[in-house]
Amino acid sequence: VINGFGPVKVAEAGQDIRLSLDMRIQYLAYRELKAAVETHQAKAGSIVVLDIHTGDVLAMANQPSYNPNNRANINVAHLRNRSITDVFEPGSTMKLATISAALESKKYTLNSTLDTSPGFIRLGRKSIRDHRNYGELSLLNIIAKSSNVGTSKIALDLSGDVVWDMFYRLGFGQGTGIGFPGESIGYLPDSSNWKPVEVASMSYGYGLNATALQLAQAYMILGNGGVKYPLGLIKSDQEDSGEQILSNSVSRSIRKAMKAVVSKGGTGQRAQVPLYQVGGKTGTVHSVGKSGYKKSEYKALFAGVAPIENPEIAIVVVIDAPAGAEYYGGEVAAPVFSRVVNGAMRLLDIRPNKAEQDKEIAKTETSSFKQGRG
């Protein structure tokens, strides 16, 4: 005889689960990433689009991909979510993090100048070089020109501990809070034993590694006034207040630096969007193989926010091993950013702002000319 018939617990109605992904932006990101990988004959690519005010993932796409409705010829390597599982050295996209530490220290402003002559510095047996001798540069132009020498000198002046602290606060070397299986936390080495050359190389993104999602989270913080939100793929009705990582004033200065990168003379001019002011940072890093860095294989990166004055989204584009004549981040990844932002701004019903800002720039230039500074 079996006793005790009856419900163990009264059934409760379940709740709806809604993804944070915006289907329209997801399609747009997937399409543009696929086109770029094919055009540049690249091995792979990833793109992440975040809502800058909440940390919600609006789009996340990878190439090569697969069709879950047709499993006949699926390649297992294509099943992983590269944006979350694959790590890479973020290269020059980290220079904005180093500059953030410099601004926070109060020792520097965007107008502070450094002499980068003769275009290289020697630290032990290693030489750190710029593309050419830029001479004296302000911090703003160190970012716009992507000067390794300028960024290294700043980091060496600040110390490795200060640089490491900023990187860690921006989310590197730790989980993003997304809770997705297989997420990599990347690698941020302990700064206690850094040699000068390691401090310098770390300042422009070599010696650590990160995922595309971590890099997107960092740019979300840099662009939104300095607030760190946990990232999520599930839409939540509860608002997260986030954690204040940077001051709003530092974030505003960093956005000015981002804007300079895509302006005339900057390395990311191809990231410009017809009706919107945007900003970001280019990156080009050597790929890593079994025997170390590959001399002729690169990853092209672009990370940025839009619109630049009142950002709504943060985007990271990674193109792995482009095989064509172009391989720099400003040539390969920046145009993908531009096209995705152009479509996403319309889909999100964001008012164009470029014409208004162009008028302000014209007024400033006219005033400078009248005062003899043109």
Side-chain angles (χ1 to χ4, degrees):
V1 178
I2 301 175
N3 296 322
F5 285 104
V8 176
K9 184 179 180 181
V10 178
E12 296 179 8
Q15 296 180 341
D16 292 336
I17 294 177
R18 184 159 60 101
L19 292 179
S20 63
L21 298 176
D22 185 309
M23 185 172 64
R24 305 163 302 169
I25 300 176
Q26 174 71 16
Y27 169 76
L28 175 65
Y30 181 92
R31 183 189 70 189
E32 296 301 336
L33 179 68
K34 183 177 181 180
V37 169
E38 291 177 349
T39 299
H40 296 283
Q41 305 168 50
K43 287 184 178 179
S46 298
I47 184 169
V48 176
V49 183
L50 297 181
D51 182 326
I52 210 164
H53 302 298
T54 64
D56 285 346
V57 179
L58 300 178
M60 182 183 290
N62 304 284
Q63 286 293 321
S65 188
Y66 68 98
N67 181 358
N69 297 311
N70 180 7
R71 308 181 70 84
N73 297 308
I74 282 182
N75 185 332
V76 175
H78 298 171
L79 296 177
R80 73 182 187 275
N81 190 338
R82 294 174 182 271
S83 300
I84 291 175
T85 63
D86 287 21
V87 296
F88 53 88
E89 289 180 309
S92 291
T93 58
M94 294 300 294
K95 288 175 181 174
L96 284 174
T98 303
I99 296 300
S100 296
L103 296 174
E104 190 176 67
S105 73
K106 306 295 185 182
K107 297 174 69 174
Y108 296 90
T109 69
L110 288 181
N111 295 322
S112 300
T113 58
L114 284 89
D115 188 3
T116 65
S117 299
F120 65 90
I121 56 173
R122 286 197 62 85
L123 296 171
R125 297 181 179 180
K126 182 177 175 61
S127 292
I128 293 173
R129 299 180 179 276
D130 285 338
H131 289 293
R132 64 181 180 84
N133 182 8
Y134 293 116
E136 195 168 275
L137 291 175
S138 67
L139 260 68
L140 190 70
N141 284 324
I142 284 173
I143 293 299
K145 301 294 185 183
S146 199
S147 169
N148 294 336
V149 174
T151 310
S152 297
K153 285 188 172 183
I154 291 170
L156 289 167
D157 181 46
L158 294 174
S159 84
D161 289 341
V162 172
V163 174
W164 183 95
D165 180 66
M166 178 58 68
F167 287 8
Y168 186 78
R169 284 157 54 197
L170 289 173
F172 296 99
Q174 56 193 294
T176 61
I178 198 167
F180 192 87
E183 180 188 14
S184 173
I185 64 169
Y187 174 64
L188 181 61
D190 182 7
S191 62
S192 59
N193 296 315
W194 284 359
K195 299 175 182 177
V197 68
E198 292 172 313
V199 175
S201 60
M202 198 73 63
S203 74
Y204 57 89
Y206 279 87
L208 74 158
N209 59 45
T211 64
L213 188 64
Q214 285 178 316
L215 189 57
Q217 183 182 49
Y219 272 71
M220 174 190 75
I221 298 167
L222 293 172
N224 72 2
V227 182
K228 181 181 181 180
Y229 297 105
L231 306 188
L233 284 165
I234 305 297
K235 192 74 174 178
S236 175
D237 295 329
Q238 297 180 349
E239 292 187 6
D240 192 310
S241 59
E243 179 186 359
Q244 194 75 37
I245 298 299
L246 292 173
S247 69
N248 194 37
S249 62
V250 170
S251 177
R252 279 198 305 270
S253 295
I254 290 299
R255 291 201 301 271
K256 288 181 182 179
M258 289 187 193
K259 186 177 176 181
V261 171
V262 304
S263 300
K264 186 176 180 180
T267 59
Q269 294 182 61
R270 295 193 191 183
Q272 293 180 7
V273 180
L275 296 176
Y276 299 89
Q277 284 282 350
V278 300
K281 185 69 188 75
T282 56
T284 309
V285 293
H286 285 278
S287 296
V288 179
K290 294 180 179 179
S291 303
Y293 291 112
K294 299 180 180 180
K295 291 184 178 180
S296 58
E297 186 173 296
Y298 302 86
K299 282 183 173 62
L301 316 171
F302 191 89
V305 301
I308 193 62
E309 295 301 329
N310 295 293
E312 297 289 338
I313 57 175
I315 301 181
V316 165
V317 180
V318 182
I319 306 295
D320 186 8
E326 296 180 325
Y327 60 88
Y328 286 109
E331 298 170 333
V332 177
V336 181
F337 171 90
S338 173
R339 291 190 289 270
V340 173
V341 167
N342 194 31
M345 291 294 95
R346 290 172 169 80
L347 293 171
L348 295 173
D349 198 24
I350 306 300
R351 179 183 174 183
N353 67 345
K354 193 166 188 179
E356 297 174 1
Q357 293 194 22
D358 284 348
K359 290 179 182 178
E360 292 299 319
I361 292 172
K363 288 180 183 178
T364 303
E365 289 177 346
T366 302
S367 176
S368 297
F369 181 76
K370 288 180 180 178
Q371 295 177 38
R373 295 199 301 268

